[in-house]
Amino acid sequence: MRAVLVVNPKATTTSERSRDVLVRALRSEVDLSVRYTRRRGHAMDIAREAVAEGVDVVVTLGGDGTVNEVVNGLMTAAPPAARPGGTPAERLPALATVPGGSTNVFARALGLPREWPEGTSMILEGLRLGRSRTIGLGRADDRYFTFCAGFGVDAAVIHRVEQARKRGRVSTPALYFRSTLSQYFLDSDRRHPAIILERPGEAAEAELATVIIQNCAPWTYLGEREINPNPEASFDLGLDVMALRQLRVASTTRTVTQFLSRHPDPRGKQVLRLHDVPEFTLISARPQAFQLDGDYLGEREKVRFTSVPDALRVIC
């Protein structure tokens, strides 16, 4: 079995020594090639090359951003002639994810442990036993995502956190909390919701203030705790949506408290929730912050979202 290991050398929870241990462990099971990312977007190029080479498995060591790039590289590469027939997922290399970032939402949503040594052990067992599953993905315009997208406040918070990290701050729950408060009270236009959600054959939902999209549950983690605006979201179904119609202090606090609870079920007049949606479009009267899988991608006024079922095989 041939495999490519895509390593983000800036992964926050691994060292050079731990990477060497991982490489030796993987080489005990597969014919391994190791490739390091050098810039943003490089993992996408490496994944496309792996498809062209006809490898069997692409392994990532990094955070959710590295996983997202590799998935987009796999999904946008032409399937190799060496692997004809079968479903689209079967014509692509399988994906194995070693958690190496600060949060690792995708890996944990697949049932992998948070720490890379335990995650590596489970992946090696999965490779030995041929244990995999096929999952659906989300797509926003022409870019795929694995677990979440955001249009509005949550994406703006991620942008704030990224800016703070560039200034040398460490990504912690406290940094996200402070960034959320600053964004909400200082930079959000809470009185004039500008987003419209359109679905084929359905009446449009207008005057939405911010929108969270999930391809699985949870949406993210606060340390060990799951954060779940859409607790029924699943890799096996369409997309789930939670939107807030207003950002009033009382109603927003109540909704956030609901999805932070151990049995989340956000409801209320200001809450819109949609389950298992195959496609929809978000349109805004003014540019909105936009993120996929925890990476800020700038501002958009329109994004079309679609569910892509049975898209990718993952080692689990």
Side-chain angles (χ1 to χ4, degrees), residues 1-5 26 30-33 50 54-60 74 83 92-97 123 127 313-315:
M1 180 183 294
R2 296 172 58 210
V4 168
L5 173 63
L26 288 172
V30 296
D31 178 8
L32 186 70
S33 171
V55 303
D56 302 293
V57 182
V58 175
V59 185
T60 65
L74 294 176
R83 197 181 287 112
L92 292 172
L95 172 69
T97 301
I123 287 170
L127 290 170
R313 288 184 302 124
V314 293
I315 304 298

Side-chain angles (χ1 to χ4, degrees), residues 4 17 31 47 51 53 60 96 98 107 113 121 152 205 239 241 271-272:
V4 168
R17 180 179 179 182
D31 178 8
V51 174
E53 294 167 8
T60 65
V98 178
S121 178
E205 298 283 355
L239 302 174
V241 177
V271 178
L272 169 69

Side-chain angles (χ1 to χ4, degrees), residues 9-314:
K10 297 181 180 179
T12 56
T13 61
T14 59
S15 63
E16 184 175 354
R17 180 179 179 182
S18 61
R19 291 195 292 269
D20 290 342
V21 171
L22 171 62
V23 168
R24 288 197 297 270
L26 288 172
R27 281 185 170 149
S28 69
E29 297 293 333
V30 296
D31 178 8
L32 186 70
S33 171
V34 183
R35 300 172 193 180
Y36 290 84
T37 62
R38 296 191 296 270
R39 61 185 184 278
R40 188 165 185 169
H42 190 201
M44 197 179 304
D45 296 334
I46 294 173
R48 290 194 184 107
E49 292 168 0
V51 174
E53 294 167 8
V55 303
D56 302 293
V57 182
V58 175
V59 185
T60 65
L61 175 61
D64 290 309
T66 302
V67 174
N68 180 277
E69 288 189 12
V70 166
V71 167
N72 275 275
L74 294 176
M75 295 300 296
T76 57
R83 197 181 287 112
T87 67
E90 291 169 340
R91 294 196 295 269
L92 292 172
L95 172 69
T97 301
V98 178
S102 57
T103 311
N104 306 302
V105 179
F106 178 67
R108 293 162 77 180
L110 291 173
L112 293 171
R114 184 179 181 182
E115 303 300 328
W116 74 265
E118 291 81 4
T120 300
S121 178
M122 288 189 68
I123 287 170
L124 290 172
E125 182 180 286
L127 290 170
R128 283 194 295 269
L129 299 177
R131 189 172 61 207
S132 67
R133 63 178 288 196
T134 301
I135 64 169
L137 299 172
R139 187 169 63 215
D141 289 338
D142 58 354
R143 178 137 183 174
Y144 294 86
F145 60 97
T146 62
F147 65 92
C148 82
F151 196 66
V153 173
D154 86 299
V157 169
I158 286 172
H159 184 43
R160 279 181 174 271
V161 171
E162 288 184 358
Q163 294 298 106
R165 292 181 68 179
K166 288 178 181 178
R167 297 192 297 270
R169 302 290 297 276
V170 178
S171 179
T172 63
L175 176 60
Y176 275 93
F177 181 71
R178 289 193 298 270
S179 299
T180 299
L181 292 180
S182 296
Q183 181 63 37
Y184 180 79
F185 285 108
L186 301 178
D187 283 340
S188 295
D189 188 350
R190 292 183 278 129
R191 295 185 178 181
H192 304 96
I195 302 171
I196 300 171
L197 186 152
E198 296 182 346
R199 288 183 291 164
E202 302 284 346
E205 298 283 355
E207 296 185 337
L208 304 176
T210 190
V211 185
I212 289 171
I213 302 99
Q214 288 176 236
N215 185 50
C216 69
W219 170 48
T220 190
Y221 289 85
L222 190 62
E224 293 295 330
R225 189 168 186 171
E226 296 182 355
I227 310 299
N228 245 334
N230 294 294
E232 296 180 340
S234 169
F235 287 125
D236 301 320
L237 300 173
L239 302 174
D240 276 29
V241 177
M242 192 202 77
L244 297 181
R245 301 183 188 278
Q246 300 282 343
L247 292 175
R248 296 170 181 161
V249 174
S251 61
T252 303
T253 301
R254 182 170 57 251
T255 302
V256 171
T257 301
Q258 288 173 339
F259 66 66
L260 286 172
S261 72
R262 300 200 178 278
H263 302 285
D265 188 19
R267 295 183 182 275
K269 292 182 180 180
Q270 304 303 328
V271 178
L272 169 69
R273 284 175 60 192
L274 302 172
H275 175 59
D276 191 15
V277 184
E279 63 176 289
F280 62 94
T281 301
L282 298 178
I283 303 168
S284 178
R286 58 179 179 272
Q288 299 286 339
F290 172 58
Q291 65 91 3
L292 292 180
D293 286 345
D295 271 0
Y296 177 70
L297 297 179
E299 294 185 335
R300 303 283 180 89
E301 294 181 1
K302 181 178 180 180
V303 184
R304 180 173 180 263
F305 291 88
T306 54
S307 172
V308 186
D310 301 325
L312 189 66
R313 288 184 302 124
V314 293

